[in-house]
Amino acid sequence: KAGVTQTPRYLIKTRGQQVTLSCSPISGHRSVSWYQQTPGQGLQFLFEYFSETQRNKGNFPGRFSGRQFSNSRSEMNVSTLELGDSALYLCASSLVGDEQFFGPGTRLTVL
Amino acid sequence: SQQGEEDPQALSIQEGENATMNCSYKTSINNLQWYRQNSGRGLVHLILIRSNEREKHSGRLRVTLDTSKKSSSLLITASRAADTASYFCATDATDTGNQFYFGTGTSLTVIP
């Protein structure tokens, strides 16, 4: 089985812009979760989608949003980028209540 | 916060030695998972232990879980230079489905 893929792998944006990141889960996995990883805050949960519905949401501002398509692929969007949004964004897919498989991440740099 | 905490934050050992890292968490869980992350890359799942299990093995890895103390430990035996990485524990909460809380990580360095 192909693993979780994320695109793009690297992204450079400027403050105020918006960005969309994409995640393709492992075939058959309906749950997709997003995490933000920074040196200061570690790995923080953003949100989880299951069957095109947001099932869980972490403590992030409304500038962070996401969606899931019928084929389980997911996108997350960050609007009005801030310098503090620079991070590694990780996507993970899983069967319900099982281990999570992570993608390689998208490294976002906000200038 | 339900975030777990790993201890120690950093560990340096010689190749061939065993490495033990610990994880403490705050609330009841369904399961606890351990992950490895090589410098700035995605996380690799190592092992999942369910709340009704006390010990689990996978190759050179041994994980224990003590739900009464809300703690888990990961033992890597006969360490290799390739084990150099950061190790994280992740816990779910019994009432939030597929939402996981990651600890702060233990940075392991195995010296050849």
Side-chain angles (χ1 to χ4, degrees):
Chain A
K1 272 185 179 177
V4 177
T5 58
Q6 291 187 246
T7 57
R9 293 292 309 279
Y10 301 91
L11 206 49
I12 299 175
K13 293 285 188 179
T14 56
R15 278 183 300 173
Q17 287 187 309
Q18 75 164 26
V19 67
T20 299
L21 313 181
S22 180
C23 171
S24 292
I26 292 172
S27 178
H29 287 189
R30 294 164 65 190
S31 170
V32 175
S33 299
W34 289 89
Y35 293 85
Q36 180 196 64
Q37 186 177 29
T38 59
Q41 298 296 320
L43 270 154
Q44 292 191 293
F45 174 81
L46 279 156
F47 28 65
E48 181 218 359
Y49 285 87
F50 181 81
S51 294
E52 302 179 64
T53 301
Q54 187 181 86
R55 188 164 64 171
N56 289 292
K57 189 178 191 303
N59 189 27
F60 277 81
R63 299 186 297 107
F64 292 82
S65 63
R67 59 178 176 168
Q68 186 180 34
F69 302 95
S70 58
N71 62 358
S72 293
R73 190 177 70 85
S74 177
E75 289 180 346
M76 69 162 280
N77 183 276
V78 187
S79 62
T80 319
L81 284 166
E82 300 176 0
L83 294 178
D85 297 333
S86 293
L88 181 66
Y89 289 88
L90 294 163
C91 161
S93 77
S94 67
L95 298 171
V96 178
D98 211 332
E99 64 188 83
Q100 293 196 304
F101 293 86
F102 281 81
T106 294
R107 184 162 297 282
L108 171 66
T109 301
V110 182
L111 302 175
Chain B
S1 168
Q2 293 179 311
Q3 188 176 39
E5 289 188 8
E6 283 91 345
D7 169 62
Q9 289 191 338
L11 183 59
S12 183
I13 59 174
Q14 296 289 329
E15 201 166 32
E17 294 181 336
N18 295 340
T20 300
M21 48 205 89
N22 304 295
C23 167
S24 60
Y25 57 93
K26 297 180 180 178
T27 64
S28 298
I29 60 172
N30 287 317
N31 63 61
L32 183 145
Q33 305 181 51
W34 284 91
Y35 290 85
R36 183 186 75 229
Q37 184 179 37
N38 292 91
S39 181
R41 299 185 181 178
L43 279 75
V44 174
H45 184 269
L46 296 176
I47 200 163
L48 178 153
I49 186 166
R50 302 198 186 278
S51 60
N52 61 352
E53 299 174 309
R54 291 297 168 257
E55 187 171 312
K56 208 161 182 180
H57 296 254
S58 177
R60 294 183 296 112
L61 306 179
R62 172 177 166 250
V63 168
T64 61
L65 178 64
D66 187 335
T67 53
S68 66
K69 294 181 180 178
K70 292 186 170 58
S71 68
S72 173
S73 68
L74 170 67
L75 168 66
I76 304 173
T77 60
S79 63
R80 305 166 181 169
D83 295 328
T84 295
S86 291
Y87 291 82
F88 296 88
C89 67
T91 56
D92 70 335
T94 53
D95 60 348
T96 59
N98 246 14
Q99 179 171 354
F100 292 91
Y101 296 92
F102 280 80
T104 49
T106 291
S107 177
L108 173 66
T109 301
V110 181
I111 302 166

